[in-house]
């Protein structure tokens, strides 16, 4: 379903590496997962048009270029290194970054929709995680299963956030969709039965609560399942929340 690709912004050093996602249909929601919460129920088939998404979460180095340009607000928490995901940024901060990156490159960057995020996280499956129903530290940076503190084990040697792209990617080449840090998406938090079926974001003008996806290093693996959702106010700045970006389908 997915194919590698890149944007025309490749010559702009802070621009993220992108993966092209062809148009297609998939079943969204947690009806097939007996761990799912009520807000994941109500599966629907979503018909998504082509888009590109960043291979990994936006890094501290990439975001810092926007801060140095005087456009983005500095993150609330300092990353351990340039290749760690930026955290301590709000949904509004992520919007500032995508607007700045778009202006620098001439491409139209944006946050992913919730449907787009779940599509790439599922990688064509209906299991809890793209590799199966059991958590595996080879694929993600999860917290302790007793909640809520960091944990190490196996390939997961990180007490907090890990540098991007340190765990096994999806078959299509996406890293860190499960665990590490939550990822802001464009959507307003709402019921699935009101969400668009074309993969676009549920985004009313009066939205007060936004969606994050993917779980984090502080939380058990159950928070990182493909259909798991969480909600935060758009001004929230947490040490375990970052974001990745998408490109509109009509840009290279």
């Amino acid at each position: 379903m997915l194919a590698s690709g890149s944007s025309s912004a490749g010559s702009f050093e802070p621009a993220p590496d992108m993966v092209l996602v062809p148009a297609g249909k998939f079943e969204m929601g947690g009806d097939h997962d007996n761990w799912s919460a009520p807000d994941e129920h109500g599966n629907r088939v979503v018909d998504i048009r082509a888009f590109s998404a960043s291979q990994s979460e936006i890094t501290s180095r990439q975001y810092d270029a926007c801060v140095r340009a005087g456009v983005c607000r500095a993150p609330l928490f300092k990353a351990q290194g340039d290749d760690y995901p930026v955290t301590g940024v709000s949904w509004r901060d992520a919007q500032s970054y995508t607007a700045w990156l778009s202006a620098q490159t001439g491409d139209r960057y944006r946050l992913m929709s919730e449907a787009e995020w779940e599509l790439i996280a599922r990688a064509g499956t209906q299991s809890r995680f793209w590799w199966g129903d059991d958590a595996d530290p080879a694929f993600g940076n999860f917290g302790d299963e007793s909640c809520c503190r960091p944990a190490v084990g196996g390939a997961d040697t990180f007490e907090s956030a890990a540098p991007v792209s340190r765990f096994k990617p999806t078959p299509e080449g996406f890293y860190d969709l499960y665990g590490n840090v939550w990822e802001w998406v464009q959507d307003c938090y709402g019921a699935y039965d009101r969400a668009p079926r074309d993969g676009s974001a549920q985004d009313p003008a009066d939205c007060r609560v936004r969606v994050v996806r993917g779980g984090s290093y502080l939380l058990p693996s159950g928070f990182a399942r493909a259909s798991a959702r969480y909600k935060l106010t758009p001004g929230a700045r947490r040490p375990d929340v970052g974001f990745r970006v998408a490109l509109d389908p009509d840009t290279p």
Side-chain angles (χ1 to χ4, degrees), residues 33-206:
D33 182 357
N34 60 10
W35 286 7
S36 61
D39 68 348
E40 302 168 39
H41 295 171
N43 280 26
R44 67 191 186 283
V45 174
V46 182
D47 192 355
I48 290 184
R49 61 179 182 168
F51 68 99
S52 295
S54 56
Q55 281 190 306
S56 67
E57 296 145 344
I58 295 302
T59 66
S60 176
R61 177 183 65 85
Q62 289 163 342
Y63 186 84
D64 186 58
C66 183
V67 175
R68 287 187 279 105
V71 175
C72 289
R73 179 172 58 163
L76 187 60
F77 304 98
K78 183 175 177 59
Q80 297 181 54
D82 287 347
D83 58 345
Y84 283 73
V86 66
T87 63
V89 290
S90 69
W91 182 88
R92 298 186 183 105
D93 293 331
Q95 299 292 333
S96 296
Y97 175 80
T98 58
W100 170 80
L101 187 59
S102 298
Q104 297 299 307
T105 63
D107 290 330
R108 289 193 292 275
Y109 285 89
R110 56 176 174 79
L111 288 182
M112 301 179 67
S113 73
E114 189 175 11
E116 290 170 339
W117 189 97
E118 189 167 324
L119 170 68
I120 66 172
R122 287 199 174 281
T125 71
Q126 280 295 322
S127 48
R128 289 178 187 144
F129 313 97
W130 74 260
W131 60 87
D133 285 332
D134 296 324
D136 186 335
F139 296 96
N141 181 11
F142 306 116
D144 191 90
E145 293 298 331
S146 64
C147 196
C148 295
R149 58 187 179 181
V152 297
D156 178 8
T157 61
F158 301 95
E159 283 282 358
S160 57
V164 301
S165 308
R166 291 297 180 90
F167 296 87
K168 292 181 179 180
T170 69
E172 297 77 26
F174 291 107
Y175 292 88
D176 305 315
L177 287 162
Y178 295 86
N180 211 29
V181 300
W182 289 103
E183 298 177 11
W184 289 110
V185 294
Q186 182 67 28
D187 292 65
C188 191
Y189 178 82
Y192 274 175
D193 59 6
R194 296 196 300 270
R197 293 179 179 268
D198 63 357
S200 59
Q202 188 172 192
D203 195 16
D206 61 350

Side-chain angles (χ1 to χ4, degrees), residues 25-39:
K25 296 182 180 181
F26 85 110
E27 184 179 352
M28 181 177 181
D31 286 353
H32 303 298
D33 182 357
N34 60 10
W35 286 7
S36 61
D39 68 348

